[in-house]
Amino acid sequence: MGLWKRIGNLFSKPEAPKAPASMLTLSLGDICEVSLVTYEVTGRTKTSGRNAVVLTLRDGSRIAYLYIEEREELQYRLYHPIDGRLDSPSEVPATLELDDRTFYLEEEYEGYAAVTGQTPYMNGGEQHVWQYQSDDSRLLRVEWQNGRFMLYEGESVLSADVRVIRAS
């Protein structure tokens, strides 16, 4: 190493430390753990106007969806797809009956969905979302995009039960 290089190294700034990985910043190929189950992130959907993301997770042949929203603190909801059908986005009710359980509309929003990887919707576009909750804290999520409905049933997950294992 030359003299000028050594002198330059004395006055150069050290590299900034790499920011720790966050569940909100996970991308395709990253590995996370939710409720003691290890998943690979295979898709990501980000809706404009919200500090939230939906990660498509794969554990072998099973697929799950982790909704992560940052409010006062990070909130996690783990969903699994279910069969169901609705006719029109204008006819989504405020209460839904499913398997002897009544779900009540908690939140409704819409925005542009930017998607990457394997998601229920392979291209971006306007997305409408309805989030429901039952009296026993079960969750239901209804999405509509490009003329297609998707329904998911799920539950809230504690922050302590979610962790990043490997991030790129």
Side-chain angles (χ1 to χ4, degrees):
M1 189 183 307
L3 178 62
W4 294 113
K5 179 88 169 162
R6 289 182 185 179
I7 293 173
N9 286 342
L10 290 174
F11 295 107
S12 67
K13 292 182 182 178
E15 277 189 39
K18 189 175 180 181
S22 160
M23 291 297 291
L24 271 174
T25 61
L26 288 182
S27 60
L28 304 180
D30 292 341
I31 307 293
C32 65
E33 183 179 89
V34 180
S35 300
L36 300 176
V37 178
T38 303
Y39 294 99
E40 177 185 3
V41 177
T42 59
R44 179 181 171 89
T45 304
K46 172 99 171 94
T47 305
S48 64
R50 299 188 65 84
N51 198 12
V53 66
V54 176
L55 300 177
T56 303
L57 305 175
R58 184 177 294 275
D59 169 35
S61 63
R62 293 184 320 172
I63 294 178
Y65 300 91
L66 183 63
Y67 175 79
I68 307 164
E69 184 172 19
E70 186 172 27
R71 292 191 178 184
E72 294 85 22
E73 49 188 51
L74 285 175
Q75 297 178 356
Y76 301 97
R77 296 174 175 189
L78 185 65
Y79 291 99
H80 299 280
I82 59 173
D83 290 332
R85 189 185 84 164
L86 295 167
D87 296 323
S88 166
S90 63
E91 297 175 1
V92 175
T95 59
L96 280 171
E97 291 265 341
L98 182 66
D99 297 333
D100 299 326
R101 184 177 280 137
T102 303
F103 291 92
Y104 301 95
L105 184 62
E106 183 179 68
E107 184 176 18
E108 175 184 353
Y109 63 89
E110 61 185 67
Y112 181 82
V115 299
T116 56
Q118 298 172 342
T119 65
Y121 306 103
M122 296 310 290
N123 53 1
E126 194 69 23
Q127 182 182 51
H128 299 263
V129 177
W130 297 263
Q131 294 186 141
Y132 294 82
Q133 185 169 346
S134 68
D135 288 336
D136 60 351
S137 299
R138 293 293 298 168
L139 304 172
L140 182 71
R141 180 179 170 93
V142 178
E143 297 176 348
W144 181 86
Q145 185 176 345
N146 299 330
R148 180 177 179 204
F149 276 105
M150 288 293 296
L151 283 80
Y152 312 90
E153 191 173 16
E155 61 191 1
S156 293
V157 178
L158 298 173
S159 296
D161 291 340
V162 178
R163 71 183 181 110
V164 175
I165 293 179
R166 184 189 78 212
S168 50

